[in-house]
Amino acid sequence: MKIVKSLMLGSAAGLIAVGGAQAADLPLKAKAVEYVKVCSLYGAGFYYIPGTDTCIKLGGYLRADVVVNTNTDSTGNTSGAGGAMNRFTNGYTWRSREDLNIDTRTATEYGVVRTFFDATFTWTTDSFAGQGNGSTVYSPIGTVSAPNNANAGAVAGGTVGVYYAFIQFAGFTMGKAISQFSAPWTAYPGNIYDGLVGGGGTVTGVNQFTYTADFGNGVSGTLSAQDSVAYYQAGVNNISAGGAFGTGDYAGTISPDFVGVLKVDQAWGLAQLSVAAHDNHAAYYGATELTSHPDDRWGFAVQGALSIKNIPTGVGDVINIQGVYTDGATRYNIQDLAASAGANTVYGGTNLAGAYQSVGFGIAPDSVFAAGGQQQLVQTWGMRGGYTHNWNPFWNTSLYGAFAAIHYNDEAKNLICGSGGAGGSFQRTFGTGVTSCNPDYNIGQLGLITRWTPVTNLTFAADLTYTHLDQKMEGTAVAGSNTIGKPGAPAVYELKDQNTVLLLLRAQRNW
């Protein structure tokens, strides 16, 4: 009996020991998995960053462009090899681009804190350029390396662009963002072509420090200081330094541009009035401080913009128009992508006996000056607009146009053309065949675009743009450059208006 009792007690003790060991080996309770949650505070596509109260949205697009009859990706043959209209002028330019943007927002007791970043990764074909000796060289954008035989082409690595990088908080915008001066459609009242004149652009953003006050009912006011260097300097041209229209003679940065905006944005559409002040800060008349310098001259720009929605021609149809006047602030009219920022040199044919070809000039700096004199500001005015009609949910068409007029005052014309139309910088550069010297000019543009969106966020577009350069010079000039295949002196060129046409074909997938 004692033996049985001992066995039972021993067995119970063993079971208790085993049970204790098993209990000690049980795993601890796992932490809850933090799944990504939808953030509905700021619209579709936002998600909470796990472990935070910050919402994030990723977006972008992939785009493929083929642009026919231009050496640039989408601004037309207005200068350089494109404007030469010869065998150095590309039949097409091809560009592929990926865009990535990151939008973050956090609700705070002071309002929403927002950051926004947008970058592009681009590969674009470029041009062969003449060397003036019967050989050519390819100049790819974003070159990584070039083969031994430069005539055969080169290996290009593409480019990276930072379009936007800004913080918004309590009404302030700090960083690289769309200029407050621009209309909401920037340079695109109905088009995808980049080079329209007639208003501000900076579609890739400009560094700025901005405050916007919201007065309610869609009414707001904005004050902004923005960088003038990257996109808003058209040239302070020193006639004494050479060249038909002088040579750019900027000093260091001294003042940003100051912008003020009043905007009404409601269901019927939008109305906006923008003003800008622009300081023209020149360097020296000559090479050193001893040569002295002209005084600064402040220029300005005024722009009005109007968008009309809900028009009776169809659902989603819209009319966008704007007009601008500038005095010493040219690039608020001829924006940074338009017509090489106002530096046009376009060649063409001629019927004039004794002339080799024709050429048209259209140069638009902010000011011109000569040694011992002060800056003479250049005045411009312009407008652009577009009407977009939606045929159905899949097709739409836009008709658009633009115009800009550039005017030099009498003193500026005297510097370029000389007293009585002789002896100025233009004649010194191009000879004495000019019968009427006048640096004023106009640019007119007309375009038509059709878009097809077969599925959501996938669009195919064809955009045809005609540009007319109405230059005011008359007579002949001894002009040309053998780097773009043109013979120099003694070849004679008729001074004549010029035209160019381009076709932009695009496929774009937004995501």
Side-chain angles (χ1 to χ4, degrees):
M1 191 69 178
K2 289 183 178 179
I3 295 173
V4 173
K5 191 175 182 179
S6 297
L7 288 172
M8 292 176 66
L9 290 173
S11 298
L15 289 170
I16 293 172
V18 170
Q22 289 176 339
D25 291 340
L26 287 175
L28 297 175
K29 185 177 180 181
K31 292 183 178 179
V33 177
E34 292 185 351
Y35 294 100
V36 176
K37 296 184 296 183
V38 172
C39 174
S40 59
L41 297 175
Y42 312 110
F46 281 92
Y47 295 87
Y48 282 101
I49 299 174
T52 76
D53 57 357
T54 296
C55 299
I56 188 170
K57 179 180 180 179
L58 302 179
Y61 61 80
L62 197 145
R63 173 188 297 171
D65 289 346
V66 177
V67 197
V68 181
N69 191 40
T70 178
N71 285 55
T72 59
D73 48 67
S74 59
T75 58
N77 285 332
T78 57
S79 62
M85 301 298 180
N86 60 14
R87 293 181 69 85
F88 293 118
T89 303
N90 287 351
Y92 68 88
T93 295
W94 212 314
R95 182 176 69 179
S96 298
R97 167 173 290 173
E98 169 64 31
D99 176 277
L100 170 66
N101 58 69
I102 305 171
D103 191 345
T104 71
R105 306 190 194 190
T106 306
T108 74
E109 60 269 32
Y110 300 101
V112 175
V113 177
R114 182 192 184 198
T115 68
F116 189 82
F117 171 77
D118 185 273
T120 59
F121 306 84
T122 307
W123 202 97
T124 309
T125 57
D126 204 352
S127 308
F128 279 92
Q131 306 251 27
N133 57 5
S135 65
T136 61
V137 63
Y138 189 69
S139 52
I141 300 170
T143 303
V144 173
S145 61
N148 293 329
N149 180 8
N151 291 334
V155 178
T159 58
V160 176
V162 176
Y163 277 14
Y164 313 122
F166 61 83
I167 300 169
Q168 289 181 321
F169 173 65
F172 289 94
T173 299
M174 300 156 281
K176 194 169 188 279
I178 290 291
S179 170
Q180 305 300 316
F181 184 89
S182 295
W185 52 85
T186 57
Y188 310 104
N191 49 296
I192 57 174
Y193 165 71
D194 284 337
L196 283 192
V197 298
T202 63
V203 297
T204 60
V206 59
N207 282 328
Q208 62 188 267
F209 188 92
T210 296
Y211 178 73
T212 298
D214 187 348
F215 303 123
N217 197 29
V219 181
S220 63
T222 298
L223 294 175
S224 178
Q226 66 181 30
D227 178 32
S228 67
V229 178
Y231 302 116
Y232 289 102
Q233 291 183 337
V236 287
N237 286 11
N238 186 350
I239 298 295
S240 301
F245 296 89
T247 300
D249 192 11
Y250 279 111
T253 57
I254 192 68
S255 174
D257 285 4
F258 297 100
V259 175
V261 181
L262 182 62
K263 183 186 298 184
V264 179
D265 189 355
Q266 298 174 342
W268 61 266
L270 173 141
Q272 177 176 318
L273 177 65
S274 307
V275 296
H278 172 76
D279 181 38
N280 294 293
H281 184 57
Y284 300 102
Y285 294 126
T288 72
E289 299 169 359
L290 298 178
T291 61
S292 192
H293 60 82
D295 296 335
D296 284 19
R297 287 289 305 275
W298 279 87
F300 70 90
V302 180
Q303 177 177 268
L306 178 67
S307 179
I308 304 174
K309 303 175 183 178
N310 302 320
I311 55 180
T313 56
V315 177
D317 289 7
V318 63
I319 297 174
N320 296 322
I321 56 175
Q322 64 193 100
V324 63
Y325 177 82
T326 74
D327 186 3
T330 298
R331 288 180 87 170
Y332 285 95
N333 180 354
I334 303 179
Q335 47 98 3
D336 60 295
L337 294 175
S340 301
N344 300 271
T345 303
V346 186
Y347 291 86
T350 182
N351 294 318
L352 181 66
Y356 172 70
Q357 288 179 351
S358 64
V359 64
F361 295 104
I363 312 299
D366 290 321
S367 71
V368 296
F369 64 91
Q374 297 300 328
Q375 295 185 68
Q376 304 300 314
L377 301 183
V378 176
Q379 294 78 43
T380 81
W381 71 270
M383 61 184 300
R384 63 181 174 220
Y387 163 63
T388 301
H389 173 63
N390 293 278
W391 302 101
N392 56 46
F394 307 104
W395 291 88
N396 71 51
T397 298
S398 295
L399 177 67
Y400 63 89
F403 179 83
I406 288 78
H407 174 73
Y408 291 74
N409 66 23
D410 290 342
E411 181 61 28
K413 288 178 179 177
N414 186 54
L415 293 175
I416 295 170
C417 295
S419 178
S425 58
F426 193 87
Q427 283 84 348
R428 292 195 299 270
T429 303
F430 293 123
T432 58
V434 182
T435 58
S436 177
C437 180
N438 183 353
D440 295 351
Y441 72 98
N442 304 323
I443 291 180
Q445 295 167 310
L446 187 64
L448 183 70
I449 177 174
T450 293
R451 304 174 181 89
W452 175 45
T453 305
V455 296
T456 302
N457 293 329
L458 175 64
T459 300
F460 301 92
D463 193 351
L464 182 68
T465 309
Y466 164 78
T467 298
H468 175 70
L469 173 62
D470 173 25
Q471 58 99 57
K472 305 301 181 183
M473 298 287 185
E474 296 180 7
T476 60
V478 178
S481 169
N482 56 15
T483 60
I484 54 173
K486 299 296 182 183
V492 174
Y493 295 81
E494 179 188 9
L495 295 167
K496 184 181 177 182
D497 297 349
Q498 303 294 336
N499 303 295
T500 183
V501 177
L502 68 78
L503 174 64
L504 169 57
L505 303 174
R506 171 172 295 174
Q508 180 166 317
R509 170 74 162 96
N510 295 332
W511 56 274

